[in-house]
Amino acid sequence: MERICLILLLLYKLSIVKAQFNGFNCDANFHSRFPAERDISVYCGVQTITLKINFCPVLFSGYTDTDLALNGRHGDAHCRGFINNNTFPTVVLFSISLSTLEACGNSLVVATAHGPNAYGNLSLVQIGSISGYIDTPDPPTVISYLPGLLYKFSCSYPLEYLVNNTQLASSAAAISVKDSNGTFVSTLNLLLYNDSTYIQNLAIPMAGLTLKTRVFAAVKATNLDRRWNVLMDYCYTTPSGNPNDQLRYDLFFGCDKDPQTTVFENGKSQMGRFSFEVFRFVKHKNQKMSTVFLHCVTKLCQADDCPMLMPICGKRKKRDVTESTDSHAASGNAVLTAGPIITRSGKSPQPPNSNGPLYRMNSVTSALVSGIIILAVMSICFFIFSLTLLKGKRPPPMPLSGAHNPAFS
């Protein structure tokens, strides 16, 4: 009798569980449990944070999807998730826009610390952290037999990136930056322009740019929340497309600046602007053209914090066209590589030798000219010989014949 009662009880509980999961992609053998840490997935995207919660344990615990909300905002429909029953298991999705972080009570904390940047220069390094939670409402009673559900999440975003633009032939390159945690930037662009109007993209001729041509560059952020500004921390050039090339020439870092480089705007908007005169690397002395690759270590800063984060003026290791000992990139750096700036060598044509011919032909051209001359001479000789033969074969003049007219006597 006891066995029959136990079997009936198990069947009753099984029917209840099946009724709970009815219509959802859940498996009673795996999801008849309370939620665990593995039931939430966090995706730190370039514009939104996406949260996925396994809905089956939520159902088993006695709740519905409308009971889950961000940061206790259960009365706000915008802070609740929505069901996605096209996956296994069924999930509840939450989407948090980085442009409206505080709408549902999420917090943004930017931690600042003194330290070396991506290439060892003393700077202020920042990390942005977004955090929050998803929970179920408390009942209006003193006690409850339902477990309170709580899911915590966080995303960390490094605010310093290494941006390279080496495709100066097409004058632009872009990249979608994403590390293991996330980033606030959907695209970072390093653009080159012809003049200070920053309208017309730079066009590089096939022969390369003339030395000392002034090039106008801009680091620009797009699809970025307006609370963030762009701060160019360190811009430099290398002769190769490798940003870690030990041979480099600094354009500017803080108060240290190449004499031919001018910074127009930095840390005041979502665009940093500067210009420099193109040059050649001495290692390319035996080449007709020299390649120059441009790289910038760029930070994002909150508008109010940017003045504090401006590069510190002070002593630093001079590194203009020197061999650097270490160039490890910091975490969160994103490398964009796309082609060279091409400059002419600047060498003038070799003057002709006063003791030699003004123009030297190659062997093929010389043979062709010689053949034409010989053929012309032979043709003239053959023409003269033909005229001589024709003159020799002309018949002698015939004597006159007829009777003499006496009237002419």
Side-chain angles (χ1 to χ4, degrees), residues 310-336:
M310 290 300 291
I312 301 170
C313 299
K315 295 182 180 179
R316 72 178 180 98
K317 181 181 177 181
K318 191 69 176 177
R319 194 160 44 185
D320 294 342
V321 193
T322 56
E323 303 292 330
S324 64
T325 58
D326 187 15
S327 54
H328 294 292
S331 62
N333 288 348
V335 180
L336 178 65

Side-chain angles (χ1 to χ4, degrees), residues 270-287:
Q270 293 192 346
M271 184 175 181
R273 300 179 298 124
F274 66 98
S275 69
F276 64 98
E277 292 184 355
V278 297
F279 49 85
R280 68 178 181 91
F281 281 95
V282 177
K283 68 176 292 185
H284 296 153
K285 62 181 179 181
N286 295 324
Q287 301 178 15

Side-chain angles (χ1 to χ4, degrees), residues 3-16:
R3 289 184 178 179
I4 295 174
C5 292
L6 182 59
I7 293 172
L8 291 174
L9 181 61
L10 290 174
L11 290 174
Y12 174 73
K13 288 187 175 181
L14 183 60
S15 64
I16 293 176

Side-chain angles (χ1 to χ4, degrees), residues 91-404:
V91 296
V92 181
L93 295 176
F94 290 84
S95 182
I96 303 171
S97 173
L98 297 185
S99 61
T100 57
L101 286 174
E102 294 84 359
C104 290
N106 302 295
S107 63
L108 168 63
V109 177
V110 178
T112 304
H114 285 276
N117 66 5
Y119 287 95
N121 296 318
L122 183 61
S123 181
L124 288 175
V125 181
Q126 287 191 315
I127 298 291
S129 297
I130 298 173
S131 60
Y133 63 89
I134 298 172
D135 67 349
T136 52
D138 293 326
T141 58
V142 177
I143 64 171
S144 174
Y145 292 99
L146 297 178
L149 306 185
L150 179 65
Y151 303 87
K152 293 183 178 181
F153 66 90
S154 65
C155 282
S156 295
Y157 294 80
L159 300 182
E160 180 175 280
Y161 306 94
L162 175 61
V163 185
N164 305 277
N165 187 331
T166 52
Q167 173 102 26
L168 300 186
S170 65
S171 304
I175 189 173
S176 178
V177 187
K178 190 177 190 301
D179 66 5
S180 57
N181 289 321
T183 172
F184 288 138
V185 182
S186 62
T187 57
L188 281 176
N189 296 281
L190 184 51
L191 308 171
L192 296 180
Y193 299 90
N194 280 331
D195 52 44
S196 59
T197 61
Y198 286 86
I199 296 175
Q200 185 178 3
N201 288 341
L202 177 67
I204 298 180
M206 294 185 64
L209 295 173
T210 305
L211 295 177
K212 294 187 71 64
T213 298
R214 182 158 291 275
V215 172
F216 296 81
V219 177
K220 186 178 180 181
T222 57
N223 297 327
L224 181 65
D225 183 77
R226 302 307 302 178
R227 79 185 73 199
W228 303 103
N229 287 351
V230 168
L231 178 64
M232 300 177 296
D233 189 35
Y234 173 37
C235 289
Y236 63 98
T237 58
T238 59
S240 72
N242 180 12
N244 296 323
D245 196 324
Q246 291 184 333
L247 182 63
R248 68 183 58 185
Y249 184 78
D250 294 356
L251 294 181
F252 66 87
F253 172 72
C255 298
D256 252 343
K257 184 171 61 66
D258 170 71
Q260 308 304 324
T261 300
T262 303
V263 179
F264 301 111
E265 182 180 7
N266 196 15
K268 297 181 180 180
S269 68
Q270 293 192 346
M271 184 175 181
R273 300 179 298 124
F274 66 98
S275 69
F276 64 98
E277 292 184 355
V278 297
F279 49 85
R280 68 178 181 91
F281 281 95
V282 177
K283 68 176 292 185
H284 296 153
K285 62 181 179 181
N286 295 324
Q287 301 178 15
K288 292 183 179 179
M289 293 184 290
S290 176
T291 55
V292 179
F293 292 77
L294 179 62
H295 317 275
C296 280
V297 177
T298 303
K299 293 179 178 179
L300 299 179
C301 55
Q302 291 179 301
D304 296 338
D305 296 337
C306 286
M308 177 187 69
L309 294 174
M310 290 300 291
I312 301 170
C313 299
K315 295 182 180 179
R316 72 178 180 98
K317 181 181 177 181
K318 191 69 176 177
R319 194 160 44 185
D320 294 342
V321 193
T322 56
E323 303 292 330
S324 64
T325 58
D326 187 15
S327 54
H328 294 292
S331 62
N333 288 348
V335 180
L336 178 65
T337 301
I341 305 178
I342 301 174
T343 60
R344 302 174 191 170
S345 65
K347 295 181 179 179
S348 59
Q350 190 73 17
N353 189 348
S354 58
N355 298 324
L358 293 178
Y359 179 71
R360 180 175 296 175
M361 296 182 292
N362 57 34
S363 58
V364 177
T365 306
S366 300
L368 182 60
V369 172
S370 300
I372 293 173
I373 294 173
I374 293 173
L375 183 61
V377 172
M378 291 178 64
S379 300
I380 294 172
C381 292
F382 180 76
F383 178 73
I384 295 173
F385 180 71
S386 299
L387 290 177
T388 304
L389 289 177
L390 290 174
K391 186 176 182 181
K393 291 181 179 182
R394 181 176 297 175
M398 297 295 292
L400 297 174
S401 61
H404 178 69

